[in-house]
Amino acid sequence: MTKPTKKLFIKTFGCQMNVYDSERMSEALGQAGYTSVETPEAADLIILNTCHIREKAAEKVYSDLGRLKQIKTARGAEGHDTVIAVAGCVAQAEGLEILKRAPVVDFVVGPQSYHRIADLIARAQKGERDVIDIEFPDGDKFQHLPARRAGARMASAFLTVQEGCDKFCTFCVVPYTRGVEYSRALSEIVTEAERLAASGVREITLLGQNVNAYHGAGEDGAPATLAVLLRRLAQIPAIERLRYTTSHPRDMSEELIAVHGDEEKVMPYLHLPFQAGSDRILAAMNRRHTCGDYLELVKRIRLARPDIALSTDIIVGFPGETGADFTATMEVVEQVEFAQAYSFKFSPRPGTPAAAMEDQVAEDLKSARLQELQALLRAQQSAFNDACAGRKMPVLFERPGRRPGQLVGRSPYLQAVHANGSDSLIGEIIEVDILGAGPNSLEAEIVSVPNRPEMAAAQAPIG
Ligand code: SAH
Ligand code: SF4
Ligand code: F3S
C-alpha cells in the first residue's frame, strides 16, 4: 500500500524573496511527504508567507486567517485535521501576538527558521500550544535546506544571494524582520545556478533586500562583489540572462555599472529605488544619498548602457513632505523617464522612527499626490513601451498565455511579451517583431525559430 501524501498550500505575499522562500519551503516539505495543491480547502497544511512592509499587506493576513478558520472548521467536521502556519515578515515582527489575535494559527515561523519547519509541524500536531520560532541564527538558512531543484520547464528562476539589511531607512521594517545583512558564499550560489541551468532554466534573477551590497566569500575566500558574482555566473553556458534586484543607490559601484556595459548576459534593466526627490526628505529617511547623487548615478549607468530600462520605488507623504518636496519628486521622475515604477503612500510601521515623527501627512493629501505621480509614471511606461513597437527583440518565452496558442515571455527590458507560438518554444530565447504596445505589455510575432530538429514542430502554423 502506498503511503498517503499530505497536501500543502502556501500563499505568498510581499517581495520576490518571499516567492523564493516559498519555493524552498515547498521543496523541503516535498521531501517530508507533502505535495502542493491549488486551494486551501484541499490542504492538510496551510502556510501564509507574509509581508509586513505596509499596513495593508500586514492586515490582509488577518482577513485571510478569518477565512482559513472557516475552512479548518469545515474540514474538521469531515474528519480532516488542518495545520495553519504564519511565516515571513509578519511572523517575525509580531511573533506571539499572532497566536493571541488569531488562535486558529498552529505555529509561527520567521524567515530565518524555515529549515526547522518539519519539527514545528510535528510539535503543533502533538497539540503543543504557542509553537513559535523567530530566532535569527548565525549563518545561512539555505545551507540547511535540501538542494534546490527547478520545477518542470521553468525558464526563469529567482536565486536569493543576500538577505537582511543594515541601512535602517527610517520608514522601513526590513532590518527588523530580516535581520542584519548576510551574503551567501559565491560557490554555493554557483552550484545552485548550475543545478537550475541543468534543469532548463535560462534566466536567473539574483535576489537580496540590498543585492548590490553583496559581499559573500569568493573563490579565494576573500569577499566577492556582486559584479564578480555576475561575471562568474555569466560563464555558465546555459544561463543566457542575468538580472538582480533590489539595489541601493549607495552600493551602485563603478565596477557594477561596468558590468552593464560589457557583460551581454546582464539584461538592460535596473530597479533602483530613489524614494523621494527632496534632499531634506531623503535625509529624514536616512537614505544616505541626495537627489543629485541619484541623477549623477543614472547618467553614469546610461553612459555604460544607453538603452537600459530604469525602474524605481517612490514613497509619497513621508512625514513633513511639503508641496515643494513632492514637486521635487515629480521633477526627478520627469528627468529620469522611468520604464516602470512602484509608488506607495507612506505607511507608518510600528517600531520604525518615521512612524513616531511629527508632521504626519493627511491621508487625502497622500492619495492626491500618489494619483498625480502615478499618472506621470503610467505615461512614461506607455511611452517606453510605444517606443518598442516596430523593433526586433529577443524574448525568453516562459509560459502559455491565456488564449489558446499564445505564449508569454519577457523582453530584455522585462516587459511582458505576447506572441502566438507552440508550447515547445517555452524556455527558448526567440527573436520577435514587436507589432504593438499596450500600457503593460507588448504584442509580437515570431519571425523565425532556431533551426534545430526538435524545433520543427514549433514552426508548424497554429490552428
Ligand atoms: N531594499 C529596497 C526596498 C525594500 S521595500 C530598497 O532599499 O530600496 C520595497 C519598497 O517598499 C521600498 O523601496 C519603499 O519604496 C516601500 N516601502 C518600504 N517601507 C514603506 C513604508 N513604511 N511605507 C510605504 N512604502 C514603504
Ligand atoms: Fe528598507 Fe532601506 Fe534596507 Fe531598503 S535599504 S530594505 S528601504 S532599510
Ligand atoms: Fe515584505 Fe518582508 Fe519582503 S516585509 S517586502 S516580505 S522582506
Side-chain angles (χ1 to χ4, degrees):
M1 218 173 78
T2 51
K3 205 173 144 205
T5 54
K6 298 223 167 205
K7 305 282 193 284
L8 165 70
F9 176 80
I10 305 185
K11 180 166 174 182
T12 308
F13 303 80
C15 63
Q16 293 105 323
M17 313 215 28
N18 265 9
V19 175
Y20 178 81
D21 282 353
S22 291
E23 283 170 11
R24 297 293 302 258
M25 267 190 278
S26 77
E27 281 171 16
L29 289 167
Q31 294 203 345
Y34 284 87
T35 52
S36 292
V37 290
E38 298 291 317
T39 60
E41 287 83 358
D44 306 297
L45 170 62
I46 301 170
I47 301 175
L48 299 183
N49 193 7
T50 62
C51 173
H52 200 244
I53 202 83
R54 284 168 292 274
E55 193 180 351
K56 253 197 202 147
E59 281 306 311
K60 251 182 156 162
V61 174
Y62 289 101
S63 57
D64 269 30
L65 285 171
R67 268 195 301 280
L68 292 184
K69 188 175 170 189
Q70 291 173 356
I71 292 174
K72 187 169 179 160
T73 309
R75 282 175 48 90
E78 290 168 6
H80 301 300
D81 285 336
T82 313
V83 174
I84 297 180
V86 174
C89 292
V90 176
Q92 191 66 44
E94 297 188 5
L96 261 181
E97 276 302 306
I98 298 172
L99 295 165
K100 284 206 197 112
R101 196 171 149 189
V104 70
V105 174
D106 295 288
F107 70 92
V108 168
V109 58
Q112 302 308 325
S113 308
Y114 296 150
H115 49 293
R116 289 194 288 266
I117 204 160
D119 177 44
L120 297 171
I121 297 168
R123 283 168 55 196
Q125 279 173 332
K126 274 191 218 136
E128 193 181 323
R129 299 307 305 159
D130 293 350
V131 178
I132 181 163
D133 187 340
I134 50 173
E135 295 298 305
F136 279 128
D138 285 342
D140 183 349
K141 73 184 181 208
F142 301 113
Q143 261 178 353
H144 305 291
L145 285 168
R148 183 81 194 284
R149 275 176 315 197
R153 303 187 73 199
M154 187 153 82
S156 178
F158 292 139
L159 202 177
T160 294
V161 303
Q162 178 276 327
E163 279 214 277
C165 181
D166 295 341
K167 296 273 192 302
F168 290 93
C169 300
T170 54
F171 52 80
C172 183
V173 293
V174 170
Y176 312 99
T177 61
R178 294 278 172 162
V180 294
E181 212 175 274
Y182 175 82
S183 297
R184 300 174 70 188
L186 185 137
S187 60
E188 200 191 313
I189 296 164
V190 171
T191 305
E192 190 168 325
E194 282 169 344
R195 269 175 192 273
L196 291 171
S199 62
V201 167
R202 293 288 157 267
E203 173 183 87
I204 294 181
T205 302
L206 305 181
L207 300 180
Q209 271 91 11
N210 244 295
V211 73
N212 59 345
Y214 174 82
H215 59 270
E219 268 150 359
D220 56 358
T225 58
L226 184 66
V228 167
L229 176 62
L230 285 165
R231 290 196 192 281
R232 175 63 188 82
L233 294 174
Q235 288 169 16
I236 302 174
I239 298 300
E240 297 181 64
R241 291 181 164 194
L242 291 164
R243 304 178 186 276
Y244 59 96
T245 197
T246 292
S247 295
H248 192 288
R250 283 275 297 212
D251 297 315
M252 205 64 220
S253 68
E254 285 305 315
E255 186 198 16
L256 184 55
I257 294 173
V259 173
H260 281 279
D262 60 25
E263 182 47 71
E264 271 184 28
K265 290 186 178 181
V266 173
M267 289 293 100
Y269 176 93
L270 180 65
H271 182 65
L272 194 63
F274 80 90
Q275 313 296 1
S278 143
D279 285 345
R280 200 174 59 81
I281 297 294
L282 285 171
M285 286 177 161
N286 190 33
R287 284 294 289 180
R288 293 183 268 181
H289 60 80
T290 63
C291 166
D293 295 338
Y294 187 84
L295 293 173
E296 178 58 32
L297 202 50
V298 166
K299 213 188 280 169
R300 293 210 302 275
I301 294 163
R302 283 192 167 142
L303 209 60
R305 183 74 205 226
D307 66 332
I308 200 158
L310 291 175
S311 161
T312 199
D313 290 343
I314 304 167
I315 296 177
V316 298
F318 187 82
E321 185 187 74
T322 62
D325 293 325
F326 174 65
T327 302
T329 297
M330 293 290 282
E331 282 168 7
V332 171
V333 174
E334 269 156 17
Q335 279 194 49
V336 176
E337 297 189 26
F338 291 99
Q340 207 241 321
Y342 302 90
S343 48
F344 314 98
K345 287 192 271 186
F346 169 71
S347 169
R349 305 306 293 130
T352 61
M357 286 179 188
E358 287 172 9
D359 299 334
Q360 297 285 329
V361 174
E363 206 48 39
D364 55 348
L365 195 52
K366 285 188 208 172
S367 301
R369 287 178 185 169
L370 187 66
Q371 251 185 20
E372 198 181 329
L373 173 64
Q374 289 187 337
L376 176 60
L377 292 169
R378 266 198 308 274
Q380 292 191 346
Q381 184 171 327
S382 290
F384 183 83
N385 288 349
D386 287 346
C388 294
R391 287 180 57 185
K392 282 191 193 305
M393 270 182 208
V395 168
L396 172 58
F397 286 103
E398 294 182 358
R399 57 189 163 81
R402 250 179 269 156
R403 277 188 279 120
Q406 190 191 46
L407 297 176
V408 188
R410 293 274 173 190
S411 76
Y413 310 107
L414 206 63
Q415 296 141 300
V417 182
H418 300 272
N420 286 335
S422 150
D423 272 9
S424 63
L425 296 179
I426 293 173
E428 295 282 333
I429 295 174
I430 312 274
E431 187 88 357
V432 303
D433 279 335
I434 305 296
L435 304 177
N440 298 313
S441 64
L442 304 176
E443 289 298 323
E445 187 173 35
I446 295 171
V447 266
S448 65
V449 293
N451 196 13
R452 272 180 265 145
E454 72 269 24
M455 286 283 127
Q459 271 170 318
I462 302 160

